[in-house]
Amino acid sequence: VQLVEAGGGLVQAGGSLRLSCQFSGGTFTSYSLGWFRRPPGKEREFVSGINWRDGKDHYISSVRDRFTISRDNNKNMVYLQMNDLRPEDTAVYYCAAGAVVVNTERHWTYWGQGTQVTVST
């Protein structure tokens, strides 16, 4: 399985970005998909995930109501729509695939290379 993220960039606070992740090399519908991020100088953290079985989505509290995860099973794509971005959202964002949505890194099997998101004041 390969995961390739795109869509990062520099945006002003209050702006929006949509990250995308192209999945290949496996059966897309058999995997839960997630987004993690690594802020500068900090550890990587779970941001959002979507279950393969029921499509239920999960978010950390700091992004709920601002970020939306979605998946397109026809295109093997997962997206993270990020609205009302804040400087504290600045991080490298990673796409991940695994069996279930959990907030711990070690339970996710495949990872993308990451895409930088920078939010300026």
Coordinates of all heavy atoms in Angstrom, one line a residue, residues 46-93:
F46 N -2.8 12.2 16.5 CA -4.0 11.9 15.8 C -4.8 13.1 15.6 O -5.0 13.9 16.5 CB -4.8 10.8 16.5 CG -6.1 10.5 15.9 CD1 -6.2 9.6 14.8 CD2 -7.3 11.0 16.4 CE1 -7.4 9.3 14.2 CE2 -8.5 10.7 15.9 CZ -8.6 9.9 14.8
V47 N -5.4 13.3 14.4 CA -6.3 14.4 14.1 C -7.7 13.9 13.8 O -8.7 14.4 14.4 CB -5.8 15.2 12.9 CG1 -6.7 16.3 12.5 CG2 -4.4 15.8 13.2
S48 N -7.8 13.0 12.9 CA -9.1 12.5 12.4 C -9.0 11.2 11.8 O -7.9 10.8 11.3 CB -9.7 13.5 11.4 OG -10.9 13.1 11.0
G49 N -10.1 10.4 11.8 CA -10.1 9.1 11.1 C -11.5 8.8 10.7 O -12.5 9.3 11.2
I50 N -11.6 7.9 9.7 CA -12.9 7.4 9.2 C -12.8 5.9 9.1 O -11.9 5.4 8.4 CB -13.2 8.1 7.9 CG1 -14.6 7.8 7.4 CG2 -12.2 7.9 6.8 CD1 -15.2 8.7 6.3
N51 N -13.8 5.3 9.7 CA -13.9 3.8 9.7 C -14.2 3.2 8.3 O -15.0 3.8 7.6 CB -14.9 3.3 10.7 CG -14.4 3.4 12.1 OD1 -13.3 3.3 12.4 ND2 -15.4 3.6 13.0
W52 N -13.6 2.1 8.0 CA -13.9 1.4 6.7 C -15.3 0.8 6.7 O -16.0 0.7 5.7 CB -12.8 0.4 6.4 CG -12.9 -0.9 7.2 CD1 -12.3 -1.1 8.4 CD2 -13.7 -2.0 7.0 NE1 -12.6 -2.3 8.9 CE2 -13.4 -2.9 8.1 CE3 -14.5 -2.4 6.0 CZ2 -14.0 -4.2 8.1 CZ3 -15.1 -3.7 6.0 CH2 -14.9 -4.6 7.1
R53 N -15.7 0.3 7.9 CA -16.9 -0.5 8.0 C -18.2 0.4 7.9 O -19.1 0.0 7.1 CB -16.9 -1.3 9.3 CG -18.1 -2.3 9.4 CD -18.1 -3.0 10.7 NE -16.9 -3.8 10.9 CZ -16.9 -5.1 10.5 NH1 -17.9 -5.6 9.9 NH2 -15.8 -5.8 10.7
D54 N -18.2 1.4 8.7 CA -19.5 2.2 8.8 C -19.4 3.6 8.3 O -20.3 4.4 8.4 CB -20.1 2.1 10.2 CG -19.1 2.6 11.2 OD1 -18.1 3.2 10.9 OD2 -19.4 2.4 12.4
G55 N -18.1 4.0 8.0 CA -17.9 5.4 7.6 C -18.0 6.4 8.7 O -18.0 7.6 8.4
K56 N -18.0 5.9 9.9 CA -18.1 6.9 11.0 C -16.8 7.6 11.2 O -15.7 7.1 11.1 CB -18.4 6.1 12.3 CG -18.5 7.0 13.6 CD -18.9 6.2 14.8 CE -18.9 7.1 16.0 NZ -19.9 8.2 15.9
D57 N -16.9 8.9 11.4 CA -15.7 9.8 11.5 C -15.4 10.1 13.0 O -16.3 10.2 13.8 CB -15.8 11.0 10.6 CG -17.0 11.8 10.8 OD1 -17.8 11.5 11.7 OD2 -17.2 12.8 10.1
H58 N -14.1 10.4 13.2 CA -13.6 10.8 14.5 C -12.7 11.9 14.4 O -12.0 12.1 13.4 CB -12.9 9.6 15.1 CG -13.7 8.3 15.2 ND1 -14.4 7.9 16.3 CD2 -13.9 7.4 14.2 CE1 -15.0 6.7 16.1 NE2 -14.7 6.4 14.8
Y59 N -12.7 12.8 15.5 CA -11.9 14.0 15.5 C -11.4 14.2 16.9 O -12.0 13.9 17.9 CB -12.7 15.2 15.0 CG -13.3 15.1 13.7 CD1 -14.6 14.6 13.5 CD2 -12.6 15.5 12.5 CE1 -15.2 14.5 12.3 CE2 -13.2 15.4 11.3 CZ -14.5 14.9 11.2 OH -15.0 14.7 9.9
I60 N -10.2 14.9 16.9 CA -9.8 15.4 18.2 C -10.6 16.7 18.5 O -11.1 17.3 17.6 CB -8.3 15.7 18.3 CG1 -7.8 16.6 17.2 CG2 -7.5 14.4 18.3 CD1 -6.4 17.1 17.3
S61 N -10.7 17.0 19.7 CA -11.6 18.1 20.1 C -11.2 19.4 19.5 O -12.0 20.3 19.2 CB -11.7 18.2 21.6 OG -10.4 18.4 22.2
S62 N -9.9 19.6 19.3 CA -9.4 20.9 18.9 C -9.8 21.2 17.4 O -9.7 22.4 17.0 CB -7.9 21.1 19.1 OG -7.2 20.1 18.4
V63 N -10.1 20.2 16.7 CA -10.4 20.4 15.2 C -11.9 20.1 14.9 O -12.4 20.4 13.8 CB -9.5 19.6 14.3 CG1 -8.1 19.8 14.6 CG2 -9.9 18.1 14.4
R64 N -12.6 19.5 15.9 CA -14.0 19.2 15.6 C -14.8 20.5 15.3 O -14.6 21.5 15.9 CB -14.6 18.5 16.8 CG -16.0 17.9 16.6 CD -16.5 17.1 17.8 NE -15.7 15.8 17.9 CZ -14.9 15.5 19.0 NH1 -14.9 16.3 20.0 NH2 -14.3 14.4 19.0
D65 N -15.6 20.4 14.3 CA -16.4 21.6 13.8 C -15.6 22.5 12.9 O -16.2 23.4 12.3 CB -17.0 22.4 15.0 CG -17.9 21.6 15.8 OD1 -18.6 20.7 15.3 OD2 -18.0 21.9 17.0
R66 N -14.3 22.2 12.7 CA -13.5 23.0 11.8 C -13.0 22.1 10.6 O -12.9 22.5 9.5 CB -12.3 23.6 12.5 CG -12.7 24.6 13.5 CD -11.5 25.4 14.0 NE -10.5 24.6 14.6 CZ -9.2 24.5 14.2 NH1 -8.8 25.2 13.2 NH2 -8.3 23.7 14.9
F67 N -12.7 20.8 11.0 CA -12.1 19.9 10.0 C -13.2 18.8 9.6 O -14.0 18.4 10.5 CB -10.9 19.2 10.5 CG -9.7 20.0 10.7 CD1 -9.7 21.4 10.6 CD2 -8.4 19.4 11.0 CE1 -8.6 22.2 10.8 CE2 -7.3 20.2 11.2 CZ -7.4 21.6 11.1
T68 N -13.1 18.4 8.4 CA -14.0 17.3 8.0 C -13.2 16.3 7.2 O -12.6 16.6 6.2 CB -15.2 17.8 7.1 OG1 -15.9 18.8 7.9 CG2 -16.1 16.7 6.7
I69 N -13.3 15.0 7.6 CA -12.7 13.9 6.8 C -13.7 13.3 5.9 O -14.9 13.2 6.3 CB -12.0 12.9 7.8 CG1 -11.1 11.9 7.0 CG2 -13.0 12.2 8.6 CD1 -10.3 11.0 7.9
S70 N -13.3 12.9 4.8 CA -14.2 12.2 3.9 C -13.4 11.2 3.0 O -12.1 11.4 2.9 CB -15.0 13.2 3.0 OG -14.1 13.9 2.2
R71 N -14.0 10.3 2.4 CA -13.4 9.3 1.6 C -14.2 9.1 0.3 O -15.4 9.2 0.3 CB -13.1 8.0 2.3 CG -14.3 7.3 2.7 CD -14.0 6.1 3.6 NE -13.2 5.1 2.9 CZ -12.5 4.1 3.5 NH1 -12.5 4.0 4.8 NH2 -11.8 3.2 2.7
D72 N -13.5 8.9 -0.8 CA -14.2 8.6 -2.1 C -13.7 7.2 -2.5 O -12.6 7.0 -2.9 CB -13.8 9.7 -3.1 CG -14.5 9.5 -4.4 OD1 -14.9 8.4 -4.8 OD2 -14.6 10.5 -5.2
N73 N -14.6 6.2 -2.3 CA -14.2 4.9 -2.6 C -14.1 4.6 -4.1 O -13.5 3.6 -4.4 CB -15.3 3.9 -2.0 CG -15.2 3.9 -0.5 OD1 -14.2 4.3 0.2 ND2 -16.3 3.5 0.2
N74 N -14.6 5.4 -4.9 CA -14.4 5.3 -6.4 C -13.1 5.7 -6.8 O -12.5 5.2 -7.8 CB -15.5 6.0 -7.1 CG -16.9 5.4 -6.9 OD1 -17.0 4.2 -6.8 ND2 -17.9 6.2 -6.7
K75 N -12.5 6.7 -6.1 CA -11.2 7.3 -6.5 C -10.1 6.8 -5.6 O -8.9 7.2 -5.9 CB -11.3 8.8 -6.5 CG -12.3 9.4 -7.6 CD -12.3 10.9 -7.5 CE -13.2 11.5 -8.6 NZ -13.3 12.9 -8.5
N76 N -10.4 6.0 -4.6 CA -9.4 5.6 -3.6 C -8.7 6.9 -3.0 O -7.4 6.9 -2.9 CB -8.3 4.7 -4.3 CG -8.8 3.3 -4.6 OD1 -10.0 3.1 -4.4 ND2 -8.0 2.5 -5.0
M77 N -9.5 7.8 -2.6 CA -9.0 9.1 -2.1 C -9.6 9.3 -0.7 O -10.7 9.0 -0.4 CB -9.3 10.2 -3.0 CG -8.7 10.2 -4.3 SD -6.9 10.6 -4.3 CE -7.0 12.4 -3.9
V78 N -8.8 9.9 0.2 CA -9.3 10.4 1.4 C -8.9 11.9 1.5 O -7.8 12.3 1.1 CB -8.8 9.6 2.6 CG1 -7.3 9.6 2.7 CG2 -9.4 10.1 3.9
Y79 N -9.8 12.7 2.1 CA -9.6 14.1 2.1 C -9.7 14.6 3.6 O -10.4 14.0 4.4 CB -10.7 14.8 1.3 CG -10.7 14.4 -0.1 CD1 -11.7 13.4 -0.5 CD2 -9.9 14.9 -1.1 CE1 -11.7 13.0 -1.9 CE2 -9.9 14.5 -2.4 CZ -10.8 13.5 -2.8 OH -10.9 13.1 -4.1
L80 N -9.1 15.8 3.8 CA -9.3 16.5 5.1 C -9.5 17.9 4.7 O -8.6 18.6 4.3 CB -8.1 16.3 6.0 CG -8.3 16.9 7.4 CD1 -9.3 16.1 8.2 CD2 -6.9 17.0 8.2
Q81 N -10.8 18.3 4.9 CA -11.1 19.7 4.6 C -10.9 20.5 5.9 O -11.5 20.1 7.0 CB -12.6 19.8 4.2 CG -13.1 21.3 4.1 CD -12.4 22.0 2.9 OE1 -12.3 21.4 1.8 NE2 -12.0 23.2 3.1
M82 N -10.1 21.5 5.9 CA -9.7 22.2 7.1 C -10.1 23.7 6.9 O -9.6 24.4 6.0 CB -8.2 22.2 7.3 CG -7.6 20.7 7.3 SD -5.9 20.7 7.7 CE -5.2 21.5 6.3
N83 N -11.0 24.1 7.8 CA -11.6 25.4 7.7 C -11.2 26.2 9.0 O -10.8 25.6 10.0 CB -13.1 25.4 7.6 CG -13.6 24.8 6.3 OD1 -12.9 24.9 5.3 ND2 -14.7 24.1 6.4
D84 N -11.3 27.5 8.9 CA -10.9 28.3 10.1 C -9.6 27.9 10.7 O -9.5 27.7 11.9 CB -12.1 28.2 11.2 CG -11.9 29.2 12.3 OD1 -11.3 30.3 12.1 OD2 -12.4 29.0 13.4
L85 N -8.6 27.8 9.9 CA -7.3 27.4 10.3 C -6.7 28.4 11.3 O -6.9 29.6 11.2 CB -6.4 27.2 9.1 CG -6.7 25.9 8.4 CD1 -6.1 25.9 7.0 CD2 -6.1 24.7 9.2
R86 N -5.9 27.8 12.2 CA -5.3 28.6 13.3 C -3.8 28.4 13.3 O -3.4 27.3 12.8 CB -5.9 28.2 14.7 CG -7.4 28.3 14.8 CD -7.9 27.6 16.0 NE -9.3 27.7 16.1 CZ -10.1 27.0 17.0 NH1 -9.5 26.2 17.8 NH2 -11.4 27.2 17.0
P87 N -3.0 29.3 13.8 CA -1.6 29.1 13.8 C -1.2 27.7 14.5 O -0.2 27.1 14.1 CB -1.0 30.3 14.6 CG -2.0 31.3 14.3 CD -3.3 30.6 14.2
E88 N -1.9 27.3 15.5 CA -1.6 26.1 16.2 C -1.9 24.8 15.3 O -1.6 23.7 15.7 CB -2.3 26.0 17.5 CG -3.8 26.2 17.4 CD -4.3 27.6 17.7 OE1 -3.6 28.5 17.3 OE2 -5.3 27.7 18.3
D89 N -2.5 25.0 14.2 CA -2.7 23.9 13.2 C -1.5 23.7 12.4 O -1.4 22.7 11.6 CB -3.9 24.1 12.3 CG -5.2 24.2 13.1 OD1 -5.4 23.3 14.0 OD2 -6.0 25.1 12.8
T90 N -0.5 24.6 12.5 CA 0.7 24.4 11.7 C 1.4 23.1 12.0 O 1.7 22.8 13.2 CB 1.7 25.6 12.0 OG1 1.1 26.8 11.5 CG2 3.0 25.3 11.3
A91 N 1.7 22.3 11.0 CA 2.3 21.0 11.3 C 2.5 20.3 9.9 O 2.0 20.7 8.9 CB 1.3 20.1 12.1
V92 N 3.2 19.2 10.0 CA 3.3 18.3 8.8 C 2.1 17.3 9.0 O 2.0 16.7 10.1 CB 4.6 17.5 8.8 CG1 4.6 16.5 7.6 CG2 5.8 18.5 8.6
Y93 N 1.3 17.2 8.0 CA 0.1 16.3 8.1 C 0.4 15.0 7.3 O 0.9 15.0 6.2 CB -1.1 17.0 7.5 CG -1.7 18.0 8.5 CD1 -1.0 19.2 8.7 CD2 -2.9 17.8 9.1 CE1 -1.5 20.2 9.6 CE2 -3.4 18.7 10.0 CZ -2.7 19.9 10.3 OH -3.2 20.8 11.2

